């Protein structure tokens, strides 16, 4: 008889143990969600707001500095050699990058590499050259221009020398964790989906705040997940590369060079000849950026702009050219890359939404405000301590 009494007692407690464990997991997850949100929320909010700004930072920069971005005419008369001569006359520092005119910045932009103190943010100045007549439209400190400074704030929190980029990457992990834990905590009971993703009227302030928090988290979730995953990948590429390799093996990221240069005294091709060779190698593609040879890389790097893509997609693919012969040393254009390479190269455009066109950028712009809404509403709920005791709204 003792056995018959004990058996049902064990059976009756069996279903309760999983519920008890589930409750413990939920409370632990809620605790982590709350405290990580409160502690890391300020940084995540700052990154979100600056991220919204830089989705359109080039358009904003052009609007704030019309004299730098207004050519005398629509003609493209100046050759690359002429652009580089004009820029070198205005600033003798080595040329690091040349941006070709496009719809947003319709002038040549030459970026000069000035000497930089060890560990400091690179000292870069830009010279804007009118493509119609070759005149210099102006010069400025590239890194400290207003729009670019907001870009730096987003990418390094203006703490370049103090692990700022890594701190932003850590904030990306925090955002990813908050998004996933928030999804688990939000998951509604059957039949209550629409109620859980909408904001009701005629309810208490606390219930209204809870509705706002739930609705904002749900509707922004997919974009926030995309932003956080790609943001982590941009900051920590070596961490993401092996994960991507599980699906499609990416090739090593390197700066190709000519390993056996020709005899000393062999003349270098002119910038115009390099441009011609690049166009011949990729007919129909539009050159977006060029990087002349440096002390550590003896090749020209030429990046191409995709036809028909959103202007925010600055480039998609590059080739490296022998500066003496113009031969292609390495090809990393989409047709020559694995799917893993293409994903890694596309991360920035996924991050700012440009991969999906203007509508994608608008979604990312709007999602940048979601961390602010979630932080403020979460803080209000936390100050009330026990929102779970509320009665129904």
């Amino acid at each position: 008889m003792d056995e018959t009494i004990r058996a049902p007692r064990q059976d009756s407690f069996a279903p309760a143990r999983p519920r008890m464990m589930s409750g413990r997991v939920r409370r632990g997850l809620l605790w982590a969600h709350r405290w990580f949100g409160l502690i890391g929320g300020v940084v995540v909010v700052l990154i979100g707001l600056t991220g919204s700004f830089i989705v359109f930072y080039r358009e904003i920069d052009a609007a704030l500095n019309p004299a730098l971005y207004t050519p005398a005419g629509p003609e493209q008369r100046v050759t690359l050699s002429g652009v580089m001569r004009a820029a070198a006359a205005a600033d003798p520092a080595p040329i690091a990058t040349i941006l070709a005119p496009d719809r947003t910045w319709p002038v040549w932009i030459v970026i000069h590499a000035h000497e930089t103190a060890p560990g400091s943010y690179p000292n870069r100045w830009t010279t804007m050259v009118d493509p119609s007549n070759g005149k210099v439209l102006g010069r400025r400190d590239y890194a400290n221009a207003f729009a670019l400074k907001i870009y730096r704030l987003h990418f390094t929190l203006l703490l370049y020398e103090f692990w700022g980029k890594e701190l932003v990457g850590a904030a990306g992990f925090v955002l990813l964790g908050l998004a996933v834990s928030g999804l688990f905590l939000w998951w509604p009971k059957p039949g209550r989906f629409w109620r859980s993703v909408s904001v009701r009227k005629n309810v208490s302030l606390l219930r209204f705040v809870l509705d706002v928090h739930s609705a904002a988290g749900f509707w922004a979730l997919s974009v926030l997940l995309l932003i956080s995953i790609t943001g982590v990948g941009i900051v920590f590429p070596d961490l993401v590369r092996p994960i991507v390799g599980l699906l499609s093996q990416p090739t090593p990221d390197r700066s190709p060079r000519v390993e056996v240069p020709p005899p000393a005294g062999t003349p270098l091709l002119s910038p115009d000849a390099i441009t011609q060779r690049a166009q011949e190698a990729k007919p129909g593609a539009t050159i977006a950026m060029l990087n002349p040879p440096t002390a550590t890389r003896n090749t020209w790097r030429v990046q191409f702009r995709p036809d028909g893509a959103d202007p925010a997609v600055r480039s998609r693919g590059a080739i490296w050219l022998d500066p003496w012969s113009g031969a292609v040393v390495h090809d990393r254009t989409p047709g020559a890359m694995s799917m893993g390479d293409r994903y890694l190269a596309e991360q920035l455009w996924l991050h700012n939404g440009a991969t999906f066109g203007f509508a994608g950028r608008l979604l990312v712009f709007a999602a940048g405000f979601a961390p602010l809404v979630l932080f403020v509403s979460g803080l209000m709920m936390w100050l009330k301590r026990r929102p779970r005791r509320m009665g129904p709204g």
Side-chain angles (χ1 to χ4, degrees):
M1 181 166 179
D2 290 340
E3 292 179 358
T4 59
I5 293 174
R6 282 197 297 268
R9 184 179 289 176
Q10 290 174 352
D11 292 342
S12 64
F13 276 99
R17 187 175 300 275
R19 288 197 295 269
M20 184 182 299
M21 292 299 294
S22 177
R24 289 175 180 174
V25 170
R26 182 179 178 83
R27 286 193 296 273
L29 193 61
L30 180 60
W31 182 91
H33 184 85
R34 177 185 297 144
W35 285 103
F36 273 100
L38 290 171
I39 295 172
V42 173
V43 175
V44 173
V45 167
L46 178 61
I47 293 173
L49 294 177
T50 54
S52 289
F53 177 93
I54 66 173
V55 166
F56 297 101
Y57 87 96
R58 292 209 305 143
E59 289 85 350
I60 293 171
D61 188 46
L64 293 176
N65 302 278
L68 295 177
Y69 296 108
T70 306
E75 302 85 2
Q76 301 281 330
R77 295 174 177 170
V78 185
T79 63
L80 180 60
S81 296
V83 169
M84 295 180 69
R85 283 195 298 269
D91 186 342
I95 294 174
T97 304
I98 306 160
L99 308 182
D102 62 20
R103 281 185 288 166
T104 308
W105 286 346
V107 299
W108 287 96
I109 300 174
V110 181
I111 303 177
H112 304 263
H114 288 254
E115 290 189 11
T116 305
S120 300
Y121 195 84
N123 185 8
R124 298 288 187 262
W125 281 70
T126 54
T127 301
M128 282 69 169
V129 179
D130 189 325
S132 67
N133 56 27
K135 292 183 178 179
V136 172
L137 296 171
R139 295 180 59 246
R140 67 175 178 177
D141 182 349
Y142 180 76
N144 290 310
F146 173 73
L148 280 303
K149 199 154 192 173
I150 301 299
Y151 198 106
R152 288 174 54 204
L153 179 62
H154 178 77
F155 191 52
T156 67
L157 299 177
L158 301 183
L159 297 172
Y160 183 83
E161 302 90 342
F162 304 102
W163 301 89
K165 185 173 74 170
E166 288 74 14
L167 181 58
V168 170
F173 277 113
V174 171
L175 177 59
L176 180 60
L178 291 174
V180 174
S181 60
L183 176 64
F184 181 86
L185 293 168
W186 160 85
W187 200 265
K189 295 178 180 179
R192 303 187 65 177
F193 172 77
W194 288 112
R195 181 177 177 180
S196 67
V197 298
S198 58
V199 179
R200 287 166 287 174
K201 301 178 180 178
N202 303 320
V203 294
S204 67
L205 175 62
L206 192 55
R207 173 59 69 180
F208 174 80
V209 171
L210 180 58
D211 283 354
V212 168
H213 192 82
S214 298
F218 173 79
W219 293 113
L221 177 66
S222 58
V223 183
L224 292 179
L225 285 173
L226 177 66
I227 291 172
S228 59
I229 292 170
T230 53
V232 167
I234 292 168
V235 175
F236 302 115
D238 292 337
L239 178 64
V240 174
R241 189 177 296 274
I243 300 173
V244 174
L246 296 175
L247 300 176
S248 175
Q249 187 61 43
T251 56
D253 189 10
R254 58 191 178 92
S255 294
R257 53 180 289 111
V258 178
E259 297 298 340
V260 183
T266 303
L268 296 169
L269 292 178
S270 69
D272 296 335
I274 290 294
T275 302
Q276 181 180 351
R277 297 291 197 285
Q279 292 286 198
E280 291 171 352
K282 298 295 174 181
T286 303
I287 293 176
M289 303 184 204
L290 304 100
N291 302 99
T294 67
T296 57
R297 188 199 72 245
N298 61 7
T299 51
W300 275 86
R301 181 182 185 226
V302 182
Q303 300 182 64
F304 297 94
R305 180 184 307 119
D307 293 332
D310 188 279
V313 180
R314 303 292 304 282
S315 65
R316 187 176 278 149
I319 58 174
W320 284 257
L321 302 177
D322 185 318
W324 295 280
S325 68
V328 175
V329 175
H330 186 59
D331 187 337
R332 282 185 68 87
T333 52
M337 292 192 292
S338 68
M339 289 300 296
D341 287 327
R342 293 180 67 176
Y343 170 76
L344 293 173
E346 194 75 12
Q347 282 185 112
L348 179 58
W349 318 131
L350 289 167
H351 189 70
N352 68 8
T355 295
F356 308 105
F358 187 72
R361 285 206 285 164
L362 283 178
L363 279 176
V364 171
F365 174 82
F369 292 89
L372 176 63
V373 174
L374 294 168
F375 178 76
V376 172
S377 57
L379 180 62
M380 292 177 67
M381 291 188 293
W382 176 78
L383 291 174
K384 292 292 185 179
R385 296 287 182 177
R386 297 183 183 278
R388 64 180 179 275
R389 289 187 176 179
M390 292 186 305

